[in-house]
Amino acid sequence: MPLLQTAEVVVRFGGIHALSGVDLDAEEGCVTGLIGPNGAGKTTTMNVISGLQSPTRGRVFLDGGDITSKSVHKRARLGLARTFQRLEVFGSLSARDNVRVAVELHRRYSRTKVDVEETTLALLERTGIAGLSDQRADTLSTGAARLTELARALATSPRLLLLDEPGSGLDSAESEAFGHLLGELAAEGLGILMVEHDMELVMQVCTRIHVLDFGVKIAEGTPAEIRGDPRVQAAYLGADDEAVPPEELEGAPAGGHQ
Ligand SMILES: Nc1ncnc2c1ncn2[C@@H]1O[C@H](COP(=O)(O)OP(=O)(O)OP(=O)(O)O)[C@@H](O)[C@H]1O
Ligand SMILES: [Mg+2]
């Protein structure tokens, strides 16, 4: 049984069909990719899974249990954590305090007796930002701010982590290091569902990939299968903005991709 499963999820915003019957899954211990052109419905899918958006129809299952009508907080307590496409860190707090607040909140909710300082430091070290702990979050580079957000998400000891474009704003060295970190987290058993435009990162870390286009799942497979899928190539070539050139889909260096 997959850790996460969505079944025939439909989301309509007025006349816009943001999602039309999306079935996808993510397993524990691996990174699953969710890709597609701008406006394909990726963030909407993440919102439905995390509980920020109620689906018009369809169900979401975590570990086989139906969580469709559970609140964001209940889902968090069941082991779901996420980061956002638009960074969500407290700008006026240091990186350390950003993480500490998340650790404290989790300790209160879960009633575990973790040592807050020790856990905070371990998370900062884990994500490679211990050296920047005292810096205000709004003065961090995008890469470091994204790592701070990741450390906050990990503070809840999730079983499933949802990442919405974690690679955006990272340079290629940061992106490669980030990919290694995701691989390590997955090897420890964490399930990760990642929305990402950086095809090099996607092809580097994902075991399986789901592809959305105009709210419809058009393909699912291994990186090799997705690279060679003509429907996927057509979807990207048909997109006006942020079209991914075919050579990039093939995992070549991302070059000028924003
Ligand atoms: N709250 C909303 N109200 C109305 N329409 C919305 C809302 N949120 C998303 N949409 C529309 O739903 C569709 C899917 O949007 P979504 O943000 O999920 O796409 P995406 O794949 O994450 O795109 P991007 O790659 O640009 O982040 C788009 O047509 C978008 O304009
Ligand atoms: Mg999005």
Side-chain angles (χ1 to χ4, degrees):
M1 181 194 303
L3 177 59
L4 169 77
Q5 200 162 15
T6 71
E8 295 178 29
V9 167
V10 172
V11 173
R12 292 210 186 105
F13 296 114
I16 296 171
H17 291 230
L19 296 176
S20 304
V22 171
D23 294 322
L24 59 78
D25 51 46
E27 302 282 352
E28 63 183 8
C30 57
V31 186
T32 303
L34 179 59
I35 67 169
N38 287 127
K42 305 179 297 295
T43 296
T44 304
T45 303
M46 295 301 223
N47 288 344
V48 168
I49 296 168
S50 62
L52 282 179
Q53 172 68 51
S54 302
T56 309
R57 278 210 311 276
R59 318 299 308 169
V60 181
F61 300 92
L62 189 67
D63 231 356
D66 189 339
I67 59 166
T68 318
S69 53
K70 293 207 187 298
S71 67
V72 172
H73 299 294
K74 283 217 176 102
R75 292 178 204 214
R77 272 179 247 174
L78 289 171
L80 236 160
R82 75 173 288 179
T83 65
F84 290 85
Q85 184 167 354
R86 277 188 221 151
L87 271 166
E88 298 238 338
V89 286
F90 299 114
S92 62
L93 296 184
S94 67
R96 181 190 289 108
D97 285 344
N98 262 282
V99 179
R100 185 190 281 130
V101 166
V103 173
E104 275 171 356
L105 268 176
H106 179 62
R107 188 178 68 157
R108 202 169 308 156
Y109 281 127
S110 63
R111 300 202 181 96
T112 48
K113 292 208 170 85
V114 295
D115 181 305
V116 172
E117 293 311 315
E118 220 171 76
T119 310
T120 302
L121 183 61
L123 288 164
L124 290 162
E125 279 171 354
R126 187 72 218 263
T127 48
I129 50 169
L132 305 169
S133 299
D134 294 326
Q135 228 172 290
R136 270 175 65 127
D138 57 9
T139 66
L140 294 170
S141 68
T142 306
R146 290 210 177 274
L147 290 167
T148 305
E149 206 191 9
L150 175 64
R152 287 173 52 84
L154 293 175
T156 64
S157 301
R159 301 180 58 208
L160 176 68
L161 179 61
L162 308 173
L163 302 173
D164 198 348
E165 300 199 27
S168 93
L170 307 195
D171 65 31
S172 58
E174 287 174 325
S175 169
E176 202 184 324
F178 189 77
H180 282 300
L181 175 58
L182 294 187
E184 283 174 18
L185 291 169
E188 289 165 18
L190 183 64
I192 300 173
L193 179 64
M194 177 173 76
V195 167
E196 186 49 59
H197 281 294
D198 177 345
M199 286 305 140
E200 211 186 347
L201 179 58
V202 170
M203 298 296 169
Q204 176 197 341
V205 298
C206 293
T207 320
R208 291 189 71 72
I209 300 170
H210 300 272
V211 189
L212 290 179
D213 190 26
F214 291 113
V216 175
K217 194 171 98 174
I218 58 165
E220 175 191 343
T222 63
E225 286 163 348
I226 293 304
R227 255 180 234 142
D229 191 315
R231 286 166 303 177
V232 178
Q233 289 166 1
Y236 275 100
L237 289 172
D240 292 339
D241 49 355
E242 197 135 18
V244 178
E247 64 273 17
E248 200 171 304
L249 253 188
E250 281 159 24
H257 204 275
Q258 43 145 329

